[in-house]
C-alpha cells in the first residue's frame, strides 16, 4: 500500500465526489491506488473508492494537511505499516526509532499509537492488493536485485518502484527507507519470472493467469484460448502439463492466499565457537579423543597465541579498543596462569552446548567419557569460516525477513550483515545463503546462565531495548545485547526492527518452564536435560489433571537407552534436573513438560 502526496489528494477528492473520470487525472496516482486496492473501475473510464480506500481517505483527512507536506511525502508506505505493526505487538508503544515518523502522520502521540494508526493497520490487513505484471514490469523485476540493497540499486523507471511497493512485492527498511528488499511474495514473483512470463507486450502474470493455472493443476476444464495463452507464456506444456515456471507461479498463488504470519528463524555463532568447531575437527583428524579436556587444552593454547599476538600489536593502544576486548587483553598481560585467564573470560561448556543446539556437533560416549564430533552442517560452517568471524542473529535475520509475507529490515542490521560478509551489494552471498539454510534446521534447547537472567528480565508483554539497557554501563550493555542475539537465534525472543523485544511462542513456553528453576542455576536449559526429560516422557504415562508424566522405576533403564547417555551421565542428569525442578522423584513436573512443548513449537 502506497499513498504519496498526489495520490492522497486524489483519495480526498474521491471521498468528496464519489466518482471521477480518469481522463484528466494523474495516471501514476491512479495506478498506485488501484494496485494498492484503494480504488476500482466501475466502468473503464471512471474510478471510485473501495471500502478500504474510503476508510483510508477518512483517516487521511483526519490526520494530516497534505498541502504542508513536500512533494515526495508518503502518508502510507511499507515502512509505515511495519512501524505500526511492531508497535501493536508491544501494546501500542512506539520507540525512539519510530515515534517521530509516525507522529508526523498523526499515527503516534505521547509514545503510543493513535486510533487512526490502528485503523490503518486493520484496513491494510483486510485489503487485497492487485497483482498486475505486464511485459515491461516483468523485465523491470528481472533486472532488479533481490536485496536487501540500497534503495537506489533498484532502477527508477517512471513509478514502477512505487507500483511494486503498492503490490507488496518490495519493502523498505525503517525508519526512512535507505534499503529495499523483495518480500516473500515478491521473491516468489521474481523467481517465477525467471522461468516464464516472457512476452513482448501484455499481461504476463496476474490474478486471472494464476487462477487459470490453478484450474489446470487441479484438472479442471479451461478453454482452449486460455490454454494457448498459458503455453505461450511458458506456464504449461503439452496442453495440461505444468512447466517449472508453472509450478513457481502456483507458489505465488499460494503465498498470496496464505496470510498466516511465519516466525523468523535465524542463526548465530561466536568466533570462539568457530574455533571450538575447528579444534574438534583438528583433534579428530589427528586421532586424538575429542573429550572436553583435550578440546580445552588445544583451545587454551590457541587463545594464548591469539592474544599474545594482539597484545604485542595493540598493547599500547588498549584505550582505543572496545572495553570488553581491552579488559580481556589487559588481564592476559597481567595474569601468569593461562588456564585461569581462559576460565575467567571464556566458557567452553557453553560453546559446546551452543554448537550442539544448532546441530553443528553431536555428543556421544567412548570409554565412559563424553566425546564430540563435527556434523555435516558443522563441516559446512568450517569450510565457510576460513577467517573465523562471528555471525549475529540480526545479520542472518536481515536475509530471512524477506521470507515473511511482509516485513521491513532495520538499516543497522543490513550494515552489520555486510560487515559479516553474508550480504553483498545486491543480495545474500554464498555465505549468507548457508547461514539462512542453517537457521531453518531443527534446534536443541540451550540457554546459558546469563542468558536466562536476561530472558527473565523481559516481561511477557515485551519491552524496548532502551528500557532493557536503561541504567547499564557500556560493558553490561554489550553483554546484554549479545545475550539477546543468542536468545533470538535460539528461537525464544524476536528483536524487532523498531527496537522492541518480544517473546516468541516458543519463548513464552520456555519462560513458563524456567519459572520454577532456582535463581542462578547453572545452565538451566541444555541439550542433555532435554534428552533425559524427552526419554522419560516417551516411556512414562501422562496424568492430565496433575500435569505430570509419571514413570515406573522399572522403565528407567529403557529411558536411559533412549537418551543415548551412559547410565552414569543419565543418573547425574536426573539429579540435576530434579534440582532445576523439571523432574520429581519418578515424574516430569509441569516445568519439564513446558520445556518439551517449547522445543516442539520451536521446531514445528
Amino acid at each position: 500500500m502506497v499513498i504519496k502526496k498526489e495520490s492522497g489528494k486524489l483519495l480526498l477528492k474521491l471521498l468528496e465526489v464519489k466518482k471521477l473520470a480518469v481522463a484528466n487525472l494523474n495516471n501514476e496516482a491512479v495506478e498506485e491506488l488501484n494496485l494498492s486496492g484503494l480504488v476500482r473501475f466501475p466502468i473503464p473510464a471512471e474510478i471510485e473508492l473501495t471500502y478500504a480506500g474510503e476508510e483510508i481517505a477518512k483517516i487521511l483527512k483526519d490526520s494530516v494537511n497534505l498541502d504542508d507536506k513536500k512533494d515526495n511525502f508518503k502518508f502510507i508506505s511499507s515502512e509505515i505499516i511495519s512501524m505500526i505493526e511492531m508497535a501493536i505487538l508491544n501494546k501500542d508503544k512506539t520507540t525512539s526509532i519510530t515515534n517521530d515518523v509516525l507522529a508526523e502522520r498523526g499515527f503516534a502521540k505521547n509514545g503510543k499509537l493513535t486510533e487512526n494508526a490502528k485503523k490503518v493497520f486493520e484496513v491494510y490487513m483486510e485489503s487485497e492488493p492487485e497483482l498486475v505484471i505486464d511485459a515491461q514490469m516483468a523485465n523491470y523485476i528481472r533486472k532488479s536485485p533481490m536485496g536487501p540493497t540500497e534503495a537506489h540499486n533498484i532502477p527508477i523507471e517512471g513509478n514502477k518502484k512505487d507500483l511494486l511497493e503498492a503490490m507488496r512485492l518490495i519493502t523498505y527498511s525503517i525508519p526512512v527507507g535507505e534499503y529495499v528488499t523483495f518480500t516473500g511474495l515478491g521473491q516468489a514473483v521474481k523467481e517465477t519470472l525467471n522461468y516464464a512470463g516472457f512476452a513482448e507486450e501484455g499481461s504476463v502474470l496476474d490474478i486471472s493467469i494464476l487462477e487459470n493455472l490453478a484450474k489446470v493443476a487441479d484438472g479442471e476444464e479451461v478453454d482452449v484460448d486460455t490454454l494457448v495463452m498459458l503455453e505461450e507464456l511458458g506456464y504449461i506444456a503439452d496442453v495440461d502439463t505444468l512447466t517449472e515456471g508453472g509450478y513457481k507461479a502456483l507458489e505465488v498463488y499460494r503465498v498470496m492466499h496464505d496470510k498466516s504470519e511465519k516466525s523468523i528463524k535465524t542463526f548465530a555463532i561466536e568466533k570462539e565457537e568457530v574455533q571450538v568447531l575447528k579444534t574438534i575437527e583438528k583433534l579428530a583428524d589427528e586421532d586424538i579423543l575429542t573429550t572436553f579436556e583435550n578440546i580445552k587444552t588445544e583451545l587454551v593454547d590457541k587463545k594464548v597465541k591469539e592474544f599474545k599476538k594482539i597484545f604485542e600489536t595493540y598493547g599500547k593502544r588498549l584505550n582505543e579498543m572496545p572495553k570488553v576486548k581491552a579488559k580481556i587483553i589487559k588481564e592476559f598481560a597481567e595474569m601468569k596462569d593461562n588456564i585461569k585467564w581462559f576460565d575467567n573470560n571464556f566458557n567452553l561448556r557453553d560453546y559446546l552446548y551452543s554448537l550442539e543446539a544448532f546441530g553443528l556437533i553431536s555428543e556421544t560416549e567412548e570409554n565412559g567419557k563424553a566425546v564430540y564430533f563435527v556434523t555435516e552442517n558443522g563441516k559446512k560452517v568450517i569450510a565457510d569460516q576460513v577467517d573465523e568471524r562471528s555471525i549475529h542473529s540480526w545479520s542472518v535475520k536481515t536475509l530471512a525477513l524477506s521470507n515473511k509475507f511482509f516485513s521491513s529490515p532495520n538499516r543497522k542490521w543490513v550494515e552489520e550483515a555486510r560487515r559479516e560478509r553474508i550480504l553483498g551489494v545486491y543480495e545474500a552471498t554464498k555465505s549468507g545463503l548457508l547461514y539462512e539454510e542453517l537457521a531453518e534446521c531443527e534446534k536443541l534447547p540451550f540457554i546459558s546462565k546469563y542468558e536466562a537472567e536476561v530472558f527473565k528480565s523481559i516481561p511477557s508483554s515485551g519491552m524496548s531495548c532502551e528500557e532493557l539497557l536503561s541504567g547499564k554501563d557500556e560493558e553490561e550493555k554489550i553483554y546484554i545485547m549479545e545475550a539477546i542475539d543468542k536468545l533470538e537465534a535460539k528461537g525464544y525472543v524476536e528483536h524487532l526492527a523498531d527496537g522492541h523485544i518480544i517473546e516468541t511462542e516458543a519463548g513464552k513456553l520456555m519462560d513458563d518452564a524456567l519459572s520454577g528453576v532456582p535463581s542462578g542455576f547453572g545452565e538451566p536449559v541444555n541439550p542433555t536435560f532435554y534428552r533425559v526429560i524427552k526419554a522419560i516422557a516417551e516411556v512414562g504415562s501422562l496424568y492430565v489433571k496433575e500435569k505430570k508424566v509419571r514413570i515406573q522405576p522399572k522403565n528407567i533403564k529403557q529411558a536411559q537407552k533412549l537418551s543415548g547417555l551412559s547410565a552414569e551421565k543419565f543418573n547425574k542428569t536426573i539429579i540435576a534436573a530434579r534440582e532445576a525442578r523439571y523432574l520429581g522423584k519418578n515424574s516430569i513436573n509441569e516445568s519439564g513438560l513446558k520445556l518439551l512443548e517449547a522445543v516442539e513449537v520451536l521446531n514445528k
Side-chain angles (χ1 to χ4, degrees):
M1 185 180 289
V2 177
I3 302 175
K4 299 191 296 185
K5 182 174 181 177
E6 192 67 30
S7 51
K9 287 184 174 181
L10 183 51
L11 279 179
L12 295 176
K13 185 67 176 175
L14 282 166
L15 185 64
E16 179 185 342
V17 301
K18 303 306 179 187
K19 291 183 181 182
L20 284 170
V22 298
N24 298 317
L25 299 179
N26 181 305
N27 186 54
E28 290 188 354
V30 173
E31 277 187 299
E32 291 156 17
L33 292 175
N34 181 42
L35 293 184
S36 294
L38 302 179
V39 302
R40 59 175 165 243
F41 292 83
I43 60 174
E46 285 185 347
I47 58 168
E48 64 183 9
L49 294 173
T50 61
Y51 168 76
E54 185 173 349
E55 292 300 309
I56 294 295
K58 290 175 182 175
I59 294 168
L60 173 58
K61 183 179 180 180
D62 186 54
S63 300
V64 297
N65 182 353
L66 289 173
D67 291 331
D68 296 337
K69 304 300 180 184
K70 295 179 180 179
D71 289 341
N72 64 350
F73 174 76
K74 286 184 178 180
F75 177 61
I76 294 177
S77 63
S78 56
E79 308 102 285
I80 301 301
I81 295 296
S82 288
M83 286 188 269
I84 294 173
E85 180 187 26
M86 286 181 271
I88 288 172
L89 289 171
N90 288 276
K91 295 192 172 179
D92 301 339
K93 291 186 289 184
T94 60
T95 66
S96 59
I97 295 173
T98 64
N99 189 74
D100 290 350
V101 178
L102 293 174
E104 183 187 4
R105 291 155 176 80
F107 294 154
K109 188 175 182 180
N110 300 324
K112 300 271 285 186
L113 290 181
T114 61
E115 288 303 313
N116 277 344
K118 289 185 276 187
K119 183 65 177 177
V120 163
F121 189 73
E122 180 186 325
V123 172
Y124 173 84
M125 293 302 291
E126 290 177 355
S127 63
E128 294 286 345
E130 295 291 331
L131 180 68
V132 181
I133 311 291
D134 62 17
Q136 289 71 39
M137 179 64 86
N139 287 330
Y140 179 76
I141 290 171
R142 289 185 186 109
K143 67 185 178 185
S144 296
M146 187 74 80
T149 185
E150 282 82 1
H152 63 73
N153 285 332
I154 292 187
I156 296 174
E157 292 184 12
N159 67 332
K160 284 188 172 64
K161 199 183 289 192
D162 292 323
L163 298 182
L164 290 181
E165 189 178 11
M167 291 186 283
R168 308 185 190 182
L169 302 186
I170 61 171
T171 181
Y172 290 87
S173 63
I174 72 166
V176 291
E178 300 102 314
Y179 296 95
V180 64
T181 185
F182 275 81
T183 63
L185 177 60
Q187 286 190 28
V189 168
K190 189 170 171 61
E191 185 75 7
T192 298
L193 294 174
N194 287 334
Y195 291 90
F198 295 96
E200 294 295 323
E201 59 183 6
S203 183
V204 300
L205 186 63
D206 57 32
I207 300 295
S208 175
I209 288 173
L210 292 175
E211 288 174 345
N212 282 313
L213 198 56
K215 289 179 182 178
V216 173
D218 293 337
E220 296 180 23
E221 188 175 337
V222 178
D223 65 79
V224 174
D225 289 343
T226 298
L227 291 172
V228 170
M229 178 267 292
L230 292 174
E231 189 159 355
E232 287 177 346
L233 290 173
Y235 294 114
I236 65 172
D238 301 326
V239 181
D240 59 357
T241 303
L242 265 65
T243 62
E244 185 69 18
Y247 283 111
K248 297 290 185 184
L250 284 183
E251 177 63 10
V252 173
Y253 196 55
R254 184 196 67 77
V255 173
M256 287 186 69
H257 289 84
D258 182 11
K259 298 294 180 67
S260 58
E261 194 58 54
K262 307 295 189 298
S263 60
I264 286 291
K265 293 183 184 292
T266 182
F267 179 91
I269 188 168
E270 297 175 40
K271 177 183 175 181
E272 283 71 28
E273 291 166 356
V274 172
Q275 292 173 336
V276 172
L277 202 57
K278 288 186 173 183
T279 298
I280 294 171
E281 184 181 58
K282 178 176 180 289
L283 293 176
D285 289 345
E286 295 171 355
D287 291 326
I288 298 172
L289 207 58
T290 51
T291 61
F292 182 91
E293 293 77 13
N294 289 342
I295 295 168
K296 183 173 180 178
T297 299
E298 184 74 21
L299 192 63
V300 169
D301 184 56
K302 183 178 179 70
K303 296 305 285 186
V304 167
K305 289 177 181 176
E306 177 188 332
F307 275 83
K308 183 181 179 184
K309 186 176 180 180
I310 293 173
F311 180 73
E312 288 172 350
T313 307
Y314 301 103
K316 295 180 180 180
R317 296 162 54 192
L318 292 184
N319 61 325
E320 299 174 20
M321 301 185 73
K323 284 189 177 181
V324 173
K325 192 162 188 176
K327 179 184 174 185
I328 298 173
I329 296 170
K330 187 172 183 293
E331 190 176 322
F332 171 78
E334 294 171 352
M335 191 174 288
K336 295 181 180 180
D337 186 336
N338 291 334
I339 301 291
K340 187 175 180 182
W341 167 78
F342 180 89
D343 288 340
N344 285 350
N345 294 285
F346 307 100
N347 191 322
L348 177 57
R349 181 67 64 192
D350 279 5
Y351 299 152
L352 290 168
Y353 275 144
S354 187
L355 290 170
E356 188 179 7
F358 286 109
L360 304 182
I361 64 171
S362 61
E363 179 189 346
T364 184
E365 292 198 7
E366 286 188 25
N367 303 322
K369 285 193 170 184
V371 292
Y372 302 90
F373 294 96
V374 178
T375 64
E376 288 304 312
N377 280 342
K379 290 175 183 177
K380 292 178 183 177
V381 171
I382 289 172
D384 174 74
Q385 287 276 354
V386 176
D387 51 352
E388 295 182 359
R389 67 198 191 280
S390 295
I391 302 294
H392 288 92
S393 170
W394 45 71
S395 298
V396 178
K397 181 173 61 176
T398 298
L399 310 180
L401 267 175
S402 57
N403 294 332
K404 296 183 79 171
F405 183 79
F406 191 86
S407 193
S408 295
N410 177 302
R411 174 179 58 81
K412 290 182 179 179
W413 299 347
V414 175
E415 293 167 355
E416 183 67 29
R418 290 258 176 87
R419 283 192 290 271
E420 293 175 5
R421 296 187 297 287
I422 65 172
L423 177 65
V425 175
Y426 301 114
E427 55 195 17
T429 61
K430 182 180 178 182
S431 179
L433 294 175
L434 167 64
Y435 296 113
E436 199 175 354
E437 174 191 326
L438 293 176
E440 293 293 328
C441 295
E442 282 199 3
K443 297 180 176 77
L444 292 174
F446 171 54
I447 298 178
S448 71
K449 180 179 177 180
Y450 184 72
E451 288 164 7
E453 291 174 6
V454 174
F455 187 44
K456 286 181 178 180
S457 70
I458 300 169
S460 58
S461 58
M463 68 191 307
S464 69
C465 287
E466 296 160 334
E467 293 170 309
L468 182 63
L469 301 177
S470 178
K472 308 295 192 298
D473 61 32
E474 182 185 336
E475 185 176 332
E476 192 172 0
K477 285 179 180 179
I478 292 170
Y479 288 133
I480 289 171
M481 290 313 297
E482 285 177 350
I484 292 296
D485 184 67
K486 276 301 186 77
L487 286 167
E488 180 173 55
K490 293 166 185 174
Y492 304 119
V493 302
E494 185 175 350
H495 182 187
L496 301 177
D498 71 343
H500 274 116
I501 301 164
I502 60 172
E503 288 184 346
T504 62
E505 187 181 352
K508 289 173 183 175
L509 291 165
M510 191 60 79
D511 200 355
D512 290 342
L514 285 169
S515 62
V517 177
S519 180
F521 185 93
E523 282 81 15
V525 178
N526 63 65
T528 309
F529 272 1
Y530 172 70
R531 281 201 189 90
V532 169
I533 296 168
K534 186 171 184 287
I536 292 173
E538 288 179 9
V539 300
S541 301
L542 176 63
Y543 289 74
V544 178
K545 286 186 178 180
E546 295 180 80
K547 296 182 180 178
K548 285 186 176 183
V549 167
R550 298 191 183 280
I551 181 173
Q552 296 182 32
K554 65 180 182 179
N555 291 332
I556 285 288
K557 194 168 184 66
Q558 184 185 352
Q560 180 245 312
K561 287 182 179 178
L562 282 173
S563 73
L565 303 174
S566 67
E568 181 183 1
K569 185 161 187 177
F570 182 82
N571 291 330
K572 284 182 178 179
T573 305
I574 281 184
I575 291 169
R578 284 174 182 156
E579 291 174 359
R581 298 176 188 164
Y582 294 125
L583 299 179
K585 185 177 180 181
N586 292 304
S587 63
I588 303 174
N589 295 332
E590 186 177 359
S591 290
L593 294 177
K594 288 287 186 183
L595 187 150
L596 295 180
E597 189 180 353
V599 178
E600 185 179 344
V601 169
L602 180 66
N603 291 314
K604 71 178 180 181

